[in-house]
Amino acid sequence: MSEIVGVVGAGTMGNGIAQVAARAGYRVVMRDVSDEFLQRGMSAIDKSLQRDVDKARLALDEKAEIIGRIETVTETSALAGAFIVIEAVTEDLRLKRELFKMLDEVTGPDAILASNTSSISITKLGAATKRPDKVIGMHFMNPVPVMKLVEVIRGIATSDETHARVVELTEKLGKTPLECQDSPGFVSNRVLMPMINEAIFALYEGVATRESIDGIMKLGMNHPMGPLALADFIGLDVCLAIMNVLHEGLGDPKYRACPLLKKYVDAGWLGKKSGRGFYEY
Ligand SMILES: NC(=O)c1ccc[n+]([C@@H]2O[C@H](COP(=O)([O-])OP(=O)(O)OC[C@H]3O[C@@H](n4cnc5c(N)ncnc54)[C@H](O)[C@@H]3O)[C@@H](O)[C@H]2O)c1
């Protein structure tokens, strides 16, 4: 297989997507803004694949082949030969719009432009290009090599052909595509985030301790993680941003972010990544 998958962004999600695409046999061109970010992405891929080697789920030479299929670049022109580019840069509408405009110029006319955004409108990203029919959401879950789901999001102009090609690619990556329309939070975050937000309200109102809230949801609902621990894992700033997208986009007060969530974000208590959230790390 010599088809090229372009990946923009070598962070948590981008390097995971590059890894699964290379493992499925595709050549990958991964782009980030500096060599430092690219190296960090490649070392995350190396570590993740090494875990599979250690567990005898992958041969050492296969690991080397997978890594050999990934080319890292800072130049956007290197994405010209890709049949699809999957964007996984920082969650910022202006940045993503500019990037889609640029990708529209550098890629071939048939190339699909996909975004891994958690909350930005695919229709808006499509409107930044001259090919909105070829713009689509591919919402991978974290950690990408482990999680089976790809939420496939259709913008208002996304064509059936683009959708079909993305479903086929997702299956080749060993993932399960599930379709949804472009709507704030899509399905995953529209259902997940209000649950997390409600758990924060329960803590805020003194209904129960953090341990009780998480324990009740784990033992009672069979969730692998409690909602507060999950919020810490996702990042409280990310949770707040998504609640704001739901609130603004759907206009219903039931989506208002809990004041305690705002306060934690103001304090810089962002969860696992900052050493403190609802738990201490
Ligand atoms: N982390 C998650 O759990 C998760 C889950 C699903 C979706 N997402 C979405 O995936 C996207 C990426 O999130 P992440 O957690 O990987 O972020 P991250 O901060 O780990 O990585 C973002 C990367 O994008 C790079 N970048 C910024 N501007 C760029 C540009 N113009 N060109 C190339 N690279 C650029 C940064 O240097 C960084 O390496 C976001 O849209 C996010 O909403 C994240």
Side-chain angles (χ1 to χ4, degrees), residues 2 7 18 28 35 53 79 88 93 103 114 118 138 151 153 159 163 166 168 174 210 259 262 264-265 281:
S2 63
V7 176
V28 176
D35 286 330
V53 171
L79 297 163
L93 175 62
L103 290 173
S118 310
M138 282 182 88
E151 201 175 22
I153 303 124
S159 70
H163 179 257
V166 164
E168 191 189 333
R210 61 185 186 183
K262 291 185 188 162
Y264 271 50
V265 172
Y281 299 89

Side-chain angles (χ1 to χ4, degrees), residues 148-152 163 166-168 170-171 175-179:
K148 283 277 167 225
L149 173 68
V150 177
E151 201 175 22
V152 177
H163 179 257
V166 164
V167 164
E168 191 189 333
T170 305
E171 285 168 349
K175 307 288 181 201
T176 304
L178 288 173
E179 180 183 355

Side-chain angles (χ1 to χ4, degrees), residues 26-46:
Y26 291 99
R27 280 171 58 206
V28 176
V29 175
M30 180 166 74
R31 192 246 167 177
D32 207 305
V33 289
S34 77
D35 286 330
E36 187 197 333
F37 290 122
L38 289 165
Q39 271 164 25
R40 217 182 289 165
M42 287 309 292
S43 81
I45 292 172
D46 190 282

Side-chain angles (χ1 to χ4, degrees), residues 153-257:
I153 303 124
R154 298 183 72 140
I156 195 164
T158 308
S159 70
D160 289 343
E161 190 198 337
T162 299
H163 179 257
R165 286 171 70 196
V166 164
V167 164
E168 191 189 333
L169 170 66
T170 305
E171 285 168 349
K172 282 190 185 156
L173 299 183
K175 307 288 181 201
T176 304
L178 288 173
E179 180 183 355
C180 81
Q181 299 300 321
D182 191 17
S183 174
F186 314 133
V187 170
S188 49
N189 281 319
R190 181 163 176 171
V191 176
L192 174 67
M193 282 303 158
M195 184 196 71
I196 286 176
N197 196 48
E198 202 58 36
I200 302 169
F201 267 113
L203 183 72
Y204 180 56
E205 292 168 11
V207 176
T209 61
R210 61 185 186 183
E211 287 81 8
S212 269
I213 292 168
D214 276 355
I216 286 166
M217 296 306 287
K218 273 166 65 182
L219 297 175
M221 318 303 154
N222 233 359
H223 290 189
M225 274 172 112
L228 299 172
L230 181 57
D232 278 357
F233 179 72
I234 294 169
L236 302 191
D237 51 338
V238 176
C239 294
L240 178 59
I242 295 172
M243 283 312 294
N244 288 338
V245 165
L246 292 175
H247 197 196
E248 278 163 31
L250 298 164
D252 190 320
K254 75 179 177 183
Y255 298 112
R256 81 189 165 98

